[in-house]
Amino acid sequence: MNAPEKNHKEGPISRADNPGGPQVAVPADQPATGHPARAGAAGHSHPHESARAQVAGSATYVDDIPEVRGTLHAAPILSTVAHGRLRGIDTTAALAMPGVRGVILARDIPGDPLLATFVHDEPVFATDKVEHVGQVIGLVVASSAMAARRAARKVQLNIEELPPILNVRDALKAESYVLPPVFVKRGDAARALRDAPHTLSGQLEVGGQEHFYLEGQVAYVLPQEQNQWLIYSSTQHPGEVQHWVSHALGISNHAVRVECRRMGGGFGGKETQAGHMAVWAAIAANKLKSPVKLRLDRDDDFMVTGKRHPFAYDYTVGFDDTGRLQGLKLMMAANCGFSADLSGPVADRAIFHSDNAYFLEDVDIASFRCKTNTQSNTAFRGFGGPQGVVLIETILGDIARHLDLDPLDVRKRNLYGVNERNVTHYQMKVEDNILDPLLSKLEQTSGYRKRRSAISAWNDQSPVIKRGVAITPVKFGISFTATLFNQAGALVHVYTDGSVQVNHGGTEMGQGLNTKVAQIVADELGVAFADVLATASDTSKIPNASATAASAGTDLNARAAQYAARNVRDNLAQFVAGLDSCGAGAVSFAGGMVSSPKGSRPFPEVVRMAYANRIQLWSDGFYRTPKIHYDKTTLTGRPFYYFAYGAACTEVAIDTLTGESRVLKVDILHDVGTSINPAIDIGQIEGGFVQGMGWLTTEQLVWNDKGQLSTHAPSTYKIPATGDIPEHFRVDLWPEANREDNVFGSKAVGEPPFMLAVSVYEALRDAVGAVKAGKGPVVMDAPATAENVLKAVGLH
């Protein structure tokens, strides 16, 4: 929900000025930093490059691509049992259905029957056993999608049921793991806990989350000549789709080309999961020698694909009379589902972010990666970070209640310091710390102290409706924790009319990556934003590209594109310097003009002259993130290039008779460095917050005792709707550039705002705590559904 462009030029606005949207405070001309107005494209709120096409319905997604004659459609055959031995598959009834062209099973895989995942533990199709309800056993291929789906339900499966493991606690008892446990220690937590004046122990359960992208999973596979393949995939990682498909077909990577112009949302759910669709469709296309499209309907998408990892925690914390942490012993157990997928790095990042913004001096963390008979959980915005942050914020909230202190004071007392108390439990120094001034600023601008007093007075006279308020910070590390993925490439082409095309390895999923890349390239060449076109991600143009994930899409790809554009600019500068007898450094590019001490020429004119003189007008660019290093065996080092910071103040109300809740007010102060595009960044902050709010309030995944996901459609799985958005929703941007040398001085903005929504959960617990006087912890699992709120109220 990008804020209207006018909001970013006219200064702070109120809801009366903009009744259709949230309150967004923005200084004139340069809302991101408070700097004077900037020339050029970057630093301004240009509309998303596809916005008009999307509104008009002319933006092309995979399912909109005109189908080649002879295209067939596939639908998955799904296991109906959570755990069992697959004794037989009867496809007779399915093959007799109208329009059916064939059934695809494991025997039809020409290459490796296991997917090319990191752990190599997931079959392409189930063979001798099934491990969750919804596991794909094969495909039915027909002349239409509906014919294929109807026929898939006619396949008869003979499955001998086995006892399933359906939750983390049972997996821990059975020592059922997809990966070995990981342990991280610093200091002597046992001694610190013994010596602490106060201790608290507890447990917490935090649920998963369905990605619920607007565009579901889809792949369209077209056989080409000489056993080559073209794949249109809605994917965050075209290179991985290429690798997975070639692996399954038993051919080389260079024979598979993957293209993705845009996705209708991803949120991590199309990082690995999109590869499954492409592999399945490619195997069908290979057998039937026809183009094949596989598009899951929403129910099947829920049943087949992984979600955010649910977590369970046991903890004991020690602290002094002021609330300062002295020791922490923590057990984190991730529900990984039936295979590893990305669970290792997700659980690692949960460890990294179990401190959030706070110094942990003596800490002992045990991380278990549990195998259950559910969908294989996967990447989701924050990638384990939210599961670390919510736990430490829960602990600090309960410490404040135990000591009868203001939770914000306890949080501020435990913040990382500057030049002291500034090394994380994984041995990375926090060098760019703005936590204390940022929190203090939000405390002042949100009127936190005054509102807290007013809420206390309200609660004293209101027996049914209770209110709560909380401020929580975020410190989120930016970079892939797997160091090798922190690299990117790009191509910039300048055509003889002066127009520019840029291609890079990132993917556009609505987050504005292509818009930001085009802004950076435009400024590097000194041309108008409208003169730069970003094109579809394509493995035949940029090979071996990393996933667009870890919030690093702009950091990596915009910098690579900037370097490519700089190479072209340098070629042109040297050419003009030769014409005008000056140094290349004296040639400048701005406002569509190329200037030297002898005069100025329009950029298109210089380009035409350079072409006539055989000057190269295209170039590649490559970037790798500096400074980072990480030992994955000890989980120590500098896994992150920098941290992004933020804080949110949220006010809520609960109905103590029904458990219903509502978010009343939200004030956010977030650090995006020098914003490349303030409107897009604010849209990301708003969207991330609301998605995080859904995770912690309404979005509940429920499996029954047979392992069947009961909440597999919008009728039973509730994401936030327009009516859930608070009327007061204010976003301010922290006015400081990134202290590290990042593109345009910006910071990543995709994932960090998600964790600002932990303030919603803490405000709800604050309201529950107001029901009954006392110093006990508020016991409430997440999400804080009406049932969980009511249960928590009953415990107080």
Side-chain angles (χ1 to χ4, degrees):
M1 58 174 86
N2 292 348
E5 186 171 354
K6 76 182 184 81
N7 296 354
H8 304 285
K9 294 184 177 179
E10 299 175 0
I13 63 169
S14 69
R15 178 156 291 277
D17 299 318
N18 183 31
Q23 296 182 13
V24 183
V26 284
D29 291 312
Q30 182 51 23
T33 65
H35 295 314
R38 293 179 179 274
H44 295 283
S45 295
H46 289 279
H48 189 288
E49 49 89 20
S50 296
R52 289 181 176 85
Q54 287 165 326
V55 170
S58 59
T60 300
Y61 296 86
V62 172
D63 202 36
D64 299 320
I65 296 170
E67 293 173 2
V68 174
R69 185 171 57 187
T71 293
L72 301 176
H73 299 263
I77 302 165
L78 305 181
S79 170
T80 55
V81 172
H83 188 207
R85 296 185 181 94
L86 182 57
R87 298 301 194 186
I89 305 171
D90 184 353
T91 62
T92 306
L95 289 170
M97 293 284 287
V100 172
R101 303 297 176 83
V103 172
I104 311 299
L105 300 172
R107 62 174 177 259
D108 299 311
I109 303 168
D112 193 333
L114 296 178
L115 291 167
T117 61
F118 294 113
V119 182
H120 209 57
D121 66 341
E122 186 174 347
V124 174
F125 294 123
T127 52
D128 58 340
K129 63 180 178 180
V130 294
E131 298 193 85
H132 75 92
V133 174
Q135 184 173 0
V136 175
I137 294 170
L139 304 174
V140 172
V141 183
S143 56
S144 72
M146 290 308 299
R149 290 170 184 170
R150 292 188 189 102
R153 285 156 175 76
K154 295 291 186 179
V155 175
Q156 299 296 310
L157 302 174
N158 179 5
I159 303 174
E160 177 189 344
E161 292 194 44
L162 298 172
I165 296 174
L166 299 176
N167 62 69
V168 165
R169 298 291 177 182
D170 287 345
L172 288 170
K173 291 175 185 176
E175 297 186 354
S176 174
Y177 308 130
V178 297
L179 293 165
V182 171
F183 304 94
V184 174
K185 298 181 180 182
R186 177 165 70 174
D188 188 341
R191 177 196 54 77
L193 290 170
R194 284 195 305 269
D195 295 345
H198 307 272
T199 60
L200 285 174
S201 296
Q203 294 185 329
L204 179 66
E205 305 276 339
V206 175
Q209 186 177 23
E210 165 64 30
H211 299 87
F212 219 107
Y213 21 66
L214 288 178
E215 176 203 29
Q217 298 279 1
V218 57
Y220 184 25
V221 176
L222 292 89
Q224 307 289 290
E225 64 171 74
Q226 302 180 67
N227 201 24
Q228 297 172 43
W229 300 83
L230 171 60
I231 298 175
Y232 295 104
S233 175
S234 181
T235 176
Q236 294 174 238
H237 199 176
E240 185 166 74
V241 171
Q242 177 192 41
H243 174 53
W244 281 25
V245 169
S246 63
H247 186 78
L249 295 182
I251 59 178
S252 299
N253 285 359
H254 68 202
V256 178
R257 176 186 161 211
V258 180
E259 180 179 311
C260 177
R261 173 59 182 91
R262 62 174 61 83
M263 289 164 275
F267 311 118
K270 296 177 180 177
E271 186 172 345
T272 61
Q273 306 291 288
H276 299 73
M277 311 303 134
V279 167
W280 296 332
I283 293 168
N286 180 72
K287 179 180 179 179
L288 299 175
K289 309 304 178 187
S290 296
V292 172
K293 181 188 287 187
L294 173 56
R295 175 173 57 82
L296 296 183
D297 71 11
R298 184 66 66 179
D299 290 270
D300 285 351
D301 204 324
F302 265 84
M303 300 302 294
V304 171
T305 62
K307 291 83 172 72
R308 182 184 297 282
H309 290 68
F311 267 59
Y313 315 84
D314 296 334
Y315 61 88
T316 299
V317 62
F319 48 97
D320 65 17
D321 292 340
T322 70
R324 176 168 280 190
L325 297 169
Q326 294 194 336
L328 175 64
K329 184 175 178 62
L330 170 61
M331 188 285 296
M332 315 172 79
N335 184 339
C336 303
F338 83 99
S339 69
D341 195 80
L342 295 172
S343 295
V346 166
D348 288 351
R349 192 174 271 266
I351 294 172
F352 290 141
H353 289 82
S354 60
D355 61 343
N356 189 21
Y358 312 111
F359 179 68
L360 304 178
E361 187 165 10
D362 293 283
V363 61
D364 184 346
I365 300 174
S367 171
F368 295 91
R369 293 94 198 272
C370 298
K371 178 173 181 173
T372 61
N373 294 115
T374 61
Q375 294 87 344
S376 185
N377 290 316
T378 190
F380 199 133
R381 197 177 199 166
F383 202 78
Q387 292 96 317
V389 170
V390 71
L391 186 276
I392 193 66
E393 294 297 342
T394 299
I395 289 172
L396 290 175
D398 283 340
I399 288 173
R401 269 180 285 276
H402 181 83
L403 298 173
D404 198 22
L405 298 173
D406 188 304
L408 178 58
D409 293 334
V410 172
R411 290 184 165 93
K412 292 178 76 171
R413 196 163 287 124
N414 283 286
L415 292 175
Y416 278 102
V418 177
N419 299 323
E420 62 170 358
R421 293 169 47 86
N422 64 340
V423 178
T424 68
H425 54 293
Y426 48 92
Q427 304 306 312
M428 178 175 172
K429 183 178 287 188
V430 181
E431 299 174 327
D432 55 1
N433 186 354
I434 58 171
L435 284 163
D436 187 68
L438 188 148
L439 269 176
S440 297
K441 180 67 173 177
L442 181 61
E443 176 188 348
Q444 180 260 317
T445 57
S446 67
Y448 170 79
R449 302 289 179 181
K450 183 177 179 180
R451 285 165 62 183
R452 190 160 188 85
S453 297
I455 287 169
S456 179
W458 165 281
N459 288 335
D460 287 342
Q461 57 81 39
S462 175
V464 175
I465 305 298
K466 298 292 185 182
R467 292 189 175 186
V469 66
I471 289 182
T472 60
V474 168
K475 172 186 69 66
F476 191 78
I478 304 299
S479 291
F480 288 96
T481 52
T483 305
L484 75 162
F485 294 135
N486 294 286
Q487 58 175 301
L491 293 172
V492 167
H493 299 166
V494 177
Y495 295 93
T496 53
D497 63 352
S499 64
V500 181
Q501 185 183 97
V502 57
N503 187 271
H504 56 87
T507 53
E508 175 63 51
M509 62 195 89
Q511 83 279 37
L513 174 59
N514 282 347
T515 307
K516 289 184 175 183
V517 170
Q519 287 177 271
I520 293 297
V521 169
D523 283 357
E524 198 66 28
L525 296 173
V527 300
F529 171 68
D531 292 333
V532 181
L533 176 67
T535 57
S537 304
D538 188 332
T539 57
S540 69
K541 293 183 178 180
I542 307 297
N544 313 316
S546 299
T548 304
S551 300
T554 299
D555 289 6
L556 294 172
N557 295 288
R559 185 65 109 184
Q562 184 180 44
Y563 287 170
R566 187 170 297 170
N567 292 336
V568 177
R569 187 194 67 187
D570 289 347
N571 292 343
L572 293 173
Q574 291 173 11
F575 170 66
V576 171
L579 293 177
D580 292 355
S581 301
C582 65
V587 180
S588 62
F589 295 73
M593 304 295 290
V594 181
S595 302
S596 77
K598 288 194 175 181
S600 297
R601 303 175 179 89
F603 182 81
E605 179 183 327
V606 170
V607 168
R608 285 191 293 272
M609 293 169 63
Y611 172 76
N613 283 273
R614 297 181 293 176
I615 303 299
Q616 182 175 330
L617 295 174
W618 62 271
S619 185
D620 64 319
F622 180 79
Y623 174 70
R624 62 179 185 176
T625 308
K627 296 187 177 183
I628 53 176
H629 56 90
Y630 162 57
D631 184 341
K632 65 180 181 180
T633 60
T634 61
L635 265 68
T636 59
R638 178 174 178 163
F640 308 122
Y641 186 32
Y642 62 87
F643 293 102
Y645 300 94
C649 177
T650 297
E651 183 178 334
V652 302
I654 65 170
D655 185 325
T656 59
L657 299 181
T658 66
E660 293 173 287
S661 66
R662 178 167 292 279
V663 177
L664 302 176
K665 294 182 179 181
V666 175
D667 293 271
I668 292 172
L669 180 57
H670 197 71
D671 164 37
V672 299
T674 304
S675 177
I676 296 172
N677 190 310
I680 284 175
D681 285 347
I682 289 172
Q684 285 291 295
I685 294 166
E686 293 167 352
F689 181 92
V690 171
Q691 191 173 53
M693 182 176 77
W695 172 52
L696 292 170
T697 56
T698 62
E699 298 186 43
Q700 186 175 32
L701 293 163
V702 178
W703 285 265
N704 66 21
D705 59 3
K706 295 293 187 180
Q708 172 87 25
L709 179 63
S710 302
T711 51
H712 55 82
S715 58
T716 51
Y717 185 84
K718 296 300 184 182
I719 64 173
T722 53
D724 298 306
I725 309 303
E727 184 173 353
H728 177 99
F729 193 0
R730 182 183 180 92
V731 177
D732 289 304
L733 301 180
W734 181 255
E736 182 182 346
N738 193 334
R739 297 182 188 178
E740 294 292 350
D741 181 20
N742 204 45
V743 61
F744 198 67
S746 67
K747 285 191 175 184
V749 71
E751 292 172 297
F754 183 95
M755 283 147 285
L756 296 172
V758 174
S759 62
V760 176
Y761 178 68
E762 281 301 286
L764 288 168
R765 295 202 318 132
D766 186 55
V768 171
V771 173
K772 182 179 178 181
K775 296 184 178 181
V778 171
V779 179
M780 183 173 69
D781 290 336
T785 59
E787 293 86 350
N788 281 344
V789 170
L790 195 60
K791 181 180 177 182
V793 167
L795 293 173
H796 282 263

